[in-house]
Amino acid sequence: MNDNRLGTAVSPYLRLHADNPVDWREWGPEAFAEARERDVPVLVSVGYATCHWCHVMARESFSDPEIGALLRRDFVAVKVDREERPDVDASLMASASAFTQQLGWPLTAFATPEGRVFFAGTYYPPAQVGQVGSFRQVLAAVLDAWTQRRHEVDANAGAIAAAIAQGATADAAARGSGVDAAAQGGEPSDGTAPGLPSVDAIRAVTAQLVSAEDTTYGGFGGAPKFPSAPLLEFLGDVAADGDDVARGLLGRGLDAIRTTELTDADGGVFRYATKRDWSVPHYERMLYDNAGLLAVAGPEQARGIADFLRDTLRRPDGAFVAAQDSESTIDGRRVEGDWYRLPLDERGRFDPPPLDDQVLTGWNGLAIRGLAIAGARYGDDEMLDLARGAADAVLAAHVRDGHVVVRSSTAHGTSSAPPTIEDVGLLAEGLLELALVTGAVRYAETARSLVDDGVAGRFDTDPVLRAAGTATGEQPQTALRSGTVALAGAAATLGALTGDRSLRDAATRLVADRAHTGTERPLGHADALGVALALQRPSCEVVVVSEVDDPMRRTARAARRPGTVVATVTADQARAWADAGFSLFEGRDGSAPAAYVCHDHVCALPARDVAALSDQLR
């Protein structure tokens, strides 16, 4: 008998396992209640729809009737889509780090009925390979420990849960101390904002990255090689702040991605390369990698990425789906990478790799931001149209009354997974970028509401993680801009637009701890450094009030650097921004064209042409 309950799941990853002989359950209190009733351990398998090794383990193990029968008898088996449930994935990853440093997907975790992990690993082969046991051997060992050494299992699970809880408490205490320091308003005499690393400390990170650069093939470190968009964006921020070394690192890094096998012929970028020279890509293509690179890519590279988003990941309603698979079916065989190795003009003879058709709020926010930045930088109206289309689609389906109510949706429905700080922060930041470029205040008004939610911490904690004491919050990632960092960036921008100093203080509190970690370990924690650098710089606001084709707009946008906020609006739009409570725009609806360069809302006389504006921006 197969009670597999994944056939009606919203997640495409879960639906891929609907025909397994494993009686999979979705993550939730019901699965753990069943485990308590039966007094059996819980197997939690985490992956995502375009994960190659997840597919491999599914074919080798989860499609095996004997393994299915063993899991039905002795375990409660739970499938988790890490894209749908990043909160669950983060908690399990934190627990899994007690057993292996080779973290990744598929993630295989074993938990007590109380939700506490007592053993974990990643991919397990069907037969033992070296010191890595087969999946059957792992199941047998876990079951033996559960039945014969239960006290050790419980002690192990309790110790891991306690360590996670202690770490979460320490993080909360650090954030609390930042709140107190900012609330007291006492800035050190050297002008350093409370809790943030100094400008010198942030810029010194460039020297660390020089040491880590692969001077032969470009990029950082050895194999595997990742595009690491947050790291490249930090280099872009430091370069814009006047650092030529950072500019060189950024240019060489982007060239390595653009000119090697990591970029497909259609412009899309693969998740990583398995070789140091960027060859033999891991062929899945993620929305977040491509969206993140848009913020720093050169014109040719940005155009190629935008074409990929438009032609491959964009839905008819304008939203972007999460990813494209590494595998496809060619001549009746399921193979990895073969479709991508075909010339573009031959690919049409075969079905393309399938899509992970989830629309994720946060990832779409990242795409909106990247398209808005690149579209403004290169004067590309189509990129701005793509950003608007995604924004309107996500706002219509995932946001209600200024609040994110949906994290994930597909053609099969709306997921019950709660929105996370990633959704709120990344969407807020994307909407603000779009608003500043297009002048459409409605995007900024929604962003303001989202930032209020994010700063107030209005997020639901998963009941299983809450009961187990293992809710970890958002974890740093090397590939995806942090929702916490994005929320800080959005708060700082809103502070510049409204004159509300408390928003800048909130941004400092959000980003300080991550920024300090980034100065020590930039390869894995760089995304906070750019926001920290912006917060350390004197606030500069630039408003251009003109028709859309006025050349002062391009001049102002070229002045984008850490600490500077640039808005381009028409006179009517300026009036709408002022009416909506954005004080920077008050009195800006008079004679146009005019450009206003302000420092902490104290503005110079309006510039009326490019030459005058350029002088004020120096």
Short mmCIF file of all heavy atoms in Angstrom, two decimals, residues 355-404:
data_model
loop_
_atom_site.label_atom_id
_atom_site.label_comp_id
_atom_site.label_asym_id
_atom_site.label_seq_id
_atom_site.Cartn_x
_atom_site.Cartn_y
_atom_site.Cartn_z
N LEU A 355 11.34 23.20 -16.27
CA LEU A 355 11.47 24.33 -15.37
C LEU A 355 10.98 23.97 -13.98
O LEU A 355 10.04 23.19 -13.83
CB LEU A 355 10.66 25.52 -15.88
CG LEU A 355 11.04 26.08 -17.25
CD1 LEU A 355 10.06 27.17 -17.65
CD2 LEU A 355 12.47 26.63 -17.24
N ASP A 356 11.63 24.52 -12.99
CA ASP A 356 11.08 24.58 -11.64
C ASP A 356 10.13 25.77 -11.66
O ASP A 356 10.55 26.92 -11.63
CB ASP A 356 12.21 24.78 -10.63
CG ASP A 356 11.72 24.97 -9.20
OD1 ASP A 356 10.50 25.17 -9.00
OD2 ASP A 356 12.55 24.94 -8.28
N ASP A 357 8.82 25.47 -11.73
CA ASP A 357 7.87 26.53 -12.06
C ASP A 357 7.34 27.29 -10.84
O ASP A 357 6.33 27.99 -10.94
CB ASP A 357 6.69 25.96 -12.86
CG ASP A 357 5.81 25.01 -12.03
OD1 ASP A 357 6.24 24.60 -10.94
OD2 ASP A 357 4.70 24.69 -12.49
N GLN A 358 8.07 27.22 -9.73
CA GLN A 358 7.67 28.02 -8.58
C GLN A 358 7.93 29.51 -8.83
O GLN A 358 9.01 29.88 -9.30
CB GLN A 358 8.46 27.63 -7.33
CG GLN A 358 8.01 26.35 -6.68
CD GLN A 358 8.73 26.15 -5.36
OE1 GLN A 358 8.21 26.48 -4.31
NE2 GLN A 358 9.92 25.60 -5.42
N VAL A 359 6.97 30.32 -8.48
CA VAL A 359 7.18 31.76 -8.41
C VAL A 359 7.45 32.09 -6.95
O VAL A 359 6.57 31.96 -6.10
CB VAL A 359 5.97 32.54 -8.93
CG1 VAL A 359 6.14 34.04 -8.69
CG2 VAL A 359 5.77 32.28 -10.42
N LEU A 360 8.68 32.47 -6.66
CA LEU A 360 9.10 32.78 -5.29
C LEU A 360 9.17 34.29 -5.12
O LEU A 360 9.82 34.98 -5.92
CB LEU A 360 10.45 32.14 -4.99
CG LEU A 360 10.48 30.61 -5.07
CD1 LEU A 360 11.90 30.10 -5.05
CD2 LEU A 360 9.69 30.01 -3.91
N THR A 361 8.52 34.80 -4.11
CA THR A 361 8.42 36.25 -3.92
C THR A 361 9.80 36.90 -3.83
O THR A 361 10.09 37.87 -4.52
CB THR A 361 7.61 36.56 -2.65
OG1 THR A 361 6.30 36.01 -2.79
CG2 THR A 361 7.51 38.05 -2.42
N GLY A 362 10.66 36.37 -2.98
CA GLY A 362 11.96 36.98 -2.77
C GLY A 362 12.83 36.93 -4.01
O GLY A 362 13.50 37.92 -4.36
N TRP A 363 12.85 35.81 -4.69
CA TRP A 363 13.69 35.68 -5.88
C TRP A 363 13.21 36.62 -6.98
O TRP A 363 14.01 37.16 -7.73
CB TRP A 363 13.72 34.24 -6.35
CG TRP A 363 14.37 33.29 -5.41
CD1 TRP A 363 14.69 33.51 -4.09
CD2 TRP A 363 14.80 31.96 -5.69
NE1 TRP A 363 15.27 32.39 -3.55
CE2 TRP A 363 15.35 31.43 -4.49
CE3 TRP A 363 14.76 31.15 -6.82
CZ2 TRP A 363 15.86 30.14 -4.43
CZ3 TRP A 363 15.27 29.86 -6.75
CH2 TRP A 363 15.82 29.36 -5.57
N ASN A 364 11.90 36.80 -7.10
CA ASN A 364 11.39 37.77 -8.06
C ASN A 364 11.79 39.19 -7.66
O ASN A 364 12.09 40.02 -8.51
CB ASN A 364 9.88 37.64 -8.20
CG ASN A 364 9.48 36.66 -9.27
OD1 ASN A 364 9.22 37.02 -10.42
ND2 ASN A 364 9.46 35.38 -8.91
N GLY A 365 11.80 39.46 -6.35
CA GLY A 365 12.28 40.76 -5.90
C GLY A 365 13.72 41.01 -6.32
O GLY A 365 14.09 42.12 -6.74
N LEU A 366 14.55 39.98 -6.23
CA LEU A 366 15.94 40.10 -6.66
C LEU A 366 16.03 40.37 -8.16
O LEU A 366 16.86 41.17 -8.61
CB LEU A 366 16.69 38.81 -6.30
CG LEU A 366 18.21 38.82 -6.41
CD1 LEU A 366 18.82 39.78 -5.41
CD2 LEU A 366 18.76 37.41 -6.20
N ALA A 367 15.17 39.70 -8.94
CA ALA A 367 15.16 39.93 -10.39
C ALA A 367 14.68 41.33 -10.73
O ALA A 367 15.22 42.00 -11.62
CB ALA A 367 14.28 38.88 -11.08
N ILE A 368 13.65 41.80 -10.03
CA ILE A 368 13.16 43.17 -10.25
C ILE A 368 14.28 44.17 -9.98
O ILE A 368 14.50 45.11 -10.76
CB ILE A 368 11.95 43.45 -9.34
CG1 ILE A 368 10.76 42.56 -9.73
CG2 ILE A 368 11.55 44.92 -9.37
CD1 ILE A 368 9.69 42.45 -8.66
N ARG A 369 14.99 43.97 -8.89
CA ARG A 369 16.09 44.87 -8.55
C ARG A 369 17.17 44.85 -9.61
O ARG A 369 17.64 45.91 -10.08
CB ARG A 369 16.69 44.45 -7.20
CG ARG A 369 17.91 45.26 -6.77
CD ARG A 369 18.37 44.81 -5.39
NE ARG A 369 19.50 45.61 -4.92
CZ ARG A 369 20.77 45.25 -5.04
NH1 ARG A 369 21.10 44.09 -5.62
NH2 ARG A 369 21.74 46.02 -4.57
N GLY A 370 17.63 43.65 -10.02
CA GLY A 370 18.69 43.56 -11.01
C GLY A 370 18.31 44.17 -12.34
O GLY A 370 19.11 44.89 -12.97
N LEU A 371 17.09 43.91 -12.80
CA LEU A 371 16.63 44.47 -14.06
C LEU A 371 16.50 45.98 -13.99
O LEU A 371 16.81 46.70 -14.95
CB LEU A 371 15.29 43.83 -14.45
CG LEU A 371 15.35 42.38 -14.93
CD1 LEU A 371 13.97 41.75 -14.91
CD2 LEU A 371 15.96 42.30 -16.34
N ALA A 372 16.03 46.49 -12.84
CA ALA A 372 15.90 47.94 -12.70
C ALA A 372 17.27 48.61 -12.70
O ALA A 372 17.47 49.66 -13.33
CB ALA A 372 15.15 48.26 -11.41
N ILE A 373 18.24 48.02 -11.99
CA ILE A 373 19.58 48.61 -11.94
C ILE A 373 20.22 48.59 -13.33
O ILE A 373 20.74 49.61 -13.81
CB ILE A 373 20.46 47.86 -10.92
CG1 ILE A 373 19.98 48.13 -9.49
CG2 ILE A 373 21.92 48.26 -11.07
CD1 ILE A 373 20.67 47.29 -8.44
N ALA A 374 20.19 47.41 -13.98
CA ALA A 374 20.82 47.31 -15.29
C ALA A 374 20.08 48.13 -16.33
O ALA A 374 20.70 48.77 -17.20
CB ALA A 374 20.88 45.83 -15.72
N GLY A 375 18.75 48.13 -16.27
CA GLY A 375 17.98 48.91 -17.23
C GLY A 375 18.27 50.39 -17.14
O GLY A 375 18.39 51.09 -18.15
N ALA A 376 18.41 50.89 -15.90
CA ALA A 376 18.74 52.31 -15.71
C ALA A 376 20.17 52.60 -16.14
O ALA A 376 20.46 53.61 -16.79
CB ALA A 376 18.53 52.70 -14.25
N ARG A 377 21.09 51.72 -15.79
CA ARG A 377 22.50 51.95 -16.10
C ARG A 377 22.75 52.00 -17.60
O ARG A 377 23.53 52.83 -18.09
CB ARG A 377 23.34 50.85 -15.45
CG ARG A 377 24.84 50.95 -15.72
CD ARG A 377 25.57 49.81 -15.04
NE ARG A 377 25.54 49.95 -13.59
CZ ARG A 377 25.41 48.93 -12.75
NH1 ARG A 377 25.27 47.69 -13.22
NH2 ARG A 377 25.41 49.13 -11.45
N TYR A 378 22.08 51.13 -18.35
CA TYR A 378 22.36 51.02 -19.78
C TYR A 378 21.26 51.61 -20.65
O TYR A 378 21.27 51.44 -21.87
CB TYR A 378 22.61 49.55 -20.14
CG TYR A 378 23.74 48.97 -19.33
CD1 TYR A 378 23.55 47.84 -18.53
CD2 TYR A 378 25.00 49.56 -19.33
CE1 TYR A 378 24.58 47.32 -17.77
CE2 TYR A 378 26.03 49.06 -18.57
CZ TYR A 378 25.82 47.93 -17.79
OH TYR A 378 26.85 47.42 -17.02
N GLY A 379 20.30 52.30 -20.04
CA GLY A 379 19.23 52.90 -20.82
C GLY A 379 18.42 51.87 -21.58
O GLY A 379 17.97 52.12 -22.71
N ASP A 380 18.19 50.72 -20.99
CA ASP A 380 17.51 49.61 -21.66
C ASP A 380 16.06 49.55 -21.18
O ASP A 380 15.76 49.05 -20.09
CB ASP A 380 18.23 48.29 -21.34
CG ASP A 380 17.76 47.14 -22.21
OD1 ASP A 380 16.54 47.00 -22.40
OD2 ASP A 380 18.61 46.37 -22.69
N ASP A 381 15.16 50.06 -22.00
CA ASP A 381 13.75 50.13 -21.60
C ASP A 381 13.12 48.76 -21.47
O ASP A 381 12.20 48.57 -20.66
CB ASP A 381 12.96 50.97 -22.62
CG ASP A 381 13.32 52.45 -22.54
OD1 ASP A 381 13.83 52.89 -21.49
OD2 ASP A 381 13.07 53.17 -23.53
N GLU A 382 13.59 47.79 -22.25
CA GLU A 382 12.98 46.46 -22.14
C GLU A 382 13.26 45.84 -20.78
O GLU A 382 12.41 45.18 -20.20
CB GLU A 382 13.47 45.53 -23.25
CG GLU A 382 12.66 44.23 -23.25
CD GLU A 382 13.27 43.13 -24.10
OE1 GLU A 382 14.49 43.11 -24.26
OE2 GLU A 382 12.50 42.28 -24.56
N MET A 383 14.45 46.05 -20.26
CA MET A 383 14.75 45.53 -18.92
C MET A 383 13.79 46.15 -17.90
O MET A 383 13.30 45.45 -16.99
CB MET A 383 16.20 45.84 -18.55
CG MET A 383 17.23 45.05 -19.32
SD MET A 383 18.89 45.33 -18.63
CE MET A 383 19.92 44.64 -19.93
N LEU A 384 13.53 47.44 -18.03
CA LEU A 384 12.61 48.09 -17.11
C LEU A 384 11.20 47.54 -17.28
O LEU A 384 10.47 47.35 -16.29
CB LEU A 384 12.62 49.60 -17.32
CG LEU A 384 13.98 50.29 -17.08
CD1 LEU A 384 13.84 51.79 -17.29
CD2 LEU A 384 14.51 49.99 -15.68
N ASP A 385 10.80 47.24 -18.51
CA ASP A 385 9.49 46.64 -18.74
C ASP A 385 9.40 45.25 -18.10
O ASP A 385 8.37 44.88 -17.53
CB ASP A 385 9.20 46.54 -20.24
CG ASP A 385 8.92 47.90 -20.87
OD1 ASP A 385 8.58 48.84 -20.14
OD2 ASP A 385 9.06 48.00 -22.11
N LEU A 386 10.49 44.47 -18.20
CA LEU A 386 10.50 43.16 -17.57
C LEU A 386 10.40 43.28 -16.05
O LEU A 386 9.70 42.50 -15.39
CB LEU A 386 11.79 42.42 -17.94
CG LEU A 386 11.92 41.95 -19.39
CD1 LEU A 386 13.33 41.43 -19.66
CD2 LEU A 386 10.89 40.86 -19.71
N ALA A 387 11.09 44.26 -15.48
CA ALA A 387 11.01 44.49 -14.04
C ALA A 387 9.60 44.87 -13.63
O ALA A 387 9.07 44.37 -12.63
CB ALA A 387 12.01 45.58 -13.63
N ARG A 388 8.97 45.78 -14.39
CA ARG A 388 7.60 46.18 -14.09
C ARG A 388 6.64 45.00 -14.19
O ARG A 388 5.76 44.83 -13.34
CB ARG A 388 7.15 47.29 -15.04
CG ARG A 388 7.42 48.69 -14.57
CD ARG A 388 6.75 49.72 -15.46
NE ARG A 388 7.38 49.75 -16.77
CZ ARG A 388 8.25 50.69 -17.16
NH1 ARG A 388 8.57 51.66 -16.35
NH2 ARG A 388 8.79 50.64 -18.37
N GLY A 389 6.82 44.17 -15.21
CA GLY A 389 5.94 43.02 -15.37
C GLY A 389 6.02 42.06 -14.21
O GLY A 389 5.01 41.56 -13.72
N ALA A 390 7.25 41.78 -13.76
CA ALA A 390 7.42 40.89 -12.61
C ALA A 390 6.84 41.50 -11.35
O ALA A 390 6.18 40.82 -10.55
CB ALA A 390 8.90 40.57 -12.42
N ALA A 391 7.09 42.80 -11.14
CA ALA A 391 6.58 43.47 -9.95
C ALA A 391 5.06 43.42 -9.91
O ALA A 391 4.45 43.09 -8.88
CB ALA A 391 7.07 44.91 -9.91
N ASP A 392 4.43 43.74 -11.02
CA ASP A 392 2.97 43.77 -11.05
C ASP A 392 2.39 42.38 -10.82
O ASP A 392 1.37 42.22 -10.13
CB ASP A 392 2.48 44.35 -12.37
CG ASP A 392 2.81 45.83 -12.51
OD1 ASP A 392 3.13 46.47 -11.49
OD2 ASP A 392 2.76 46.34 -13.65
N ALA A 393 3.03 41.35 -11.40
CA ALA A 393 2.53 39.99 -11.23
C ALA A 393 2.64 39.53 -9.78
O ALA A 393 1.71 38.94 -9.22
CB ALA A 393 3.29 39.03 -12.15
N VAL A 394 3.78 39.79 -9.15
CA VAL A 394 3.98 39.36 -7.77
C VAL A 394 3.07 40.15 -6.83
O VAL A 394 2.48 39.59 -5.89
CB VAL A 394 5.46 39.51 -7.37
CG1 VAL A 394 5.64 39.30 -5.87
CG2 VAL A 394 6.31 38.50 -8.14
N LEU A 395 2.93 41.44 -7.06
CA LEU A 395 2.06 42.24 -6.20
C LEU A 395 0.61 41.77 -6.30
O LEU A 395 -0.12 41.75 -5.32
CB LEU A 395 2.16 43.72 -6.59
CG LEU A 395 3.48 44.41 -6.24
CD1 LEU A 395 3.51 45.83 -6.78
CD2 LEU A 395 3.72 44.42 -4.73
N ALA A 396 0.20 41.36 -7.49
CA ALA A 396 -1.18 40.92 -7.67
C ALA A 396 -1.45 39.58 -7.00
O ALA A 396 -2.53 39.36 -6.45
CB ALA A 396 -1.51 40.83 -9.17
N ALA A 397 -0.45 38.68 -7.01
CA ALA A 397 -0.70 37.32 -6.55
C ALA A 397 -0.16 37.02 -5.16
O ALA A 397 -0.68 36.12 -4.48
CB ALA A 397 -0.08 36.32 -7.55
N HIS A 398 0.87 37.74 -4.72
CA HIS A 398 1.55 37.37 -3.47
C HIS A 398 1.47 38.43 -2.38
O HIS A 398 1.93 38.18 -1.26
CB HIS A 398 3.03 37.06 -3.75
CG HIS A 398 3.25 35.79 -4.49
ND1 HIS A 398 4.48 35.17 -4.56
CD2 HIS A 398 2.41 35.00 -5.20
CE1 HIS A 398 4.39 34.07 -5.27
NE2 HIS A 398 3.15 33.94 -5.68
N VAL A 399 0.96 39.60 -2.69
CA VAL A 399 0.94 40.71 -1.73
C VAL A 399 -0.49 41.20 -1.57
O VAL A 399 -1.23 41.34 -2.55
CB VAL A 399 1.85 41.87 -2.19
CG1 VAL A 399 1.76 43.05 -1.23
CG2 VAL A 399 3.30 41.38 -2.31
N ARG A 400 -0.88 41.43 -0.31
CA ARG A 400 -2.22 41.93 -0.04
C ARG A 400 -2.12 43.07 0.97
O ARG A 400 -1.52 42.93 2.03
CB ARG A 400 -3.12 40.82 0.51
CG ARG A 400 -4.58 41.23 0.69
CD ARG A 400 -5.44 40.06 1.18
NE ARG A 400 -5.31 38.91 0.29
CZ ARG A 400 -4.99 37.69 0.71
NH1 ARG A 400 -4.75 37.47 1.99
NH2 ARG A 400 -4.90 36.69 -0.15
N ASP A 401 -2.69 44.21 0.60
CA ASP A 401 -2.71 45.39 1.49
C ASP A 401 -1.32 45.75 1.99
O ASP A 401 -1.12 46.12 3.15
CB ASP A 401 -3.65 45.14 2.69
CG ASP A 401 -5.08 44.90 2.26
OD1 ASP A 401 -5.50 45.51 1.25
OD2 ASP A 401 -5.77 44.11 2.91
N GLY A 402 -0.33 45.62 1.11
CA GLY A 402 1.03 46.01 1.47
C GLY A 402 1.79 45.00 2.28
O GLY A 402 2.86 45.32 2.81
N HIS A 403 1.30 43.77 2.38
CA HIS A 403 1.98 42.73 3.15
C HIS A 403 2.15 41.47 2.29
O HIS A 403 1.23 41.08 1.57
CB HIS A 403 1.17 42.36 4.40
CG HIS A 403 0.78 43.55 5.22
ND1 HIS A 403 1.67 44.22 6.04
CD2 HIS A 403 -0.40 44.20 5.35
CE1 HIS A 403 1.06 45.22 6.63
NE2 HIS A 403 -0.20 45.24 6.22
N VAL A 404 3.33 40.86 2.36
CA VAL A 404 3.54 39.60 1.66
C VAL A 404 2.74 38.51 2.35
O VAL A 404 2.92 38.26 3.55
CB VAL A 404 5.03 39.20 1.63
CG1 VAL A 404 5.20 37.85 0.95
CG2 VAL A 404 5.86 40.25 0.90
#
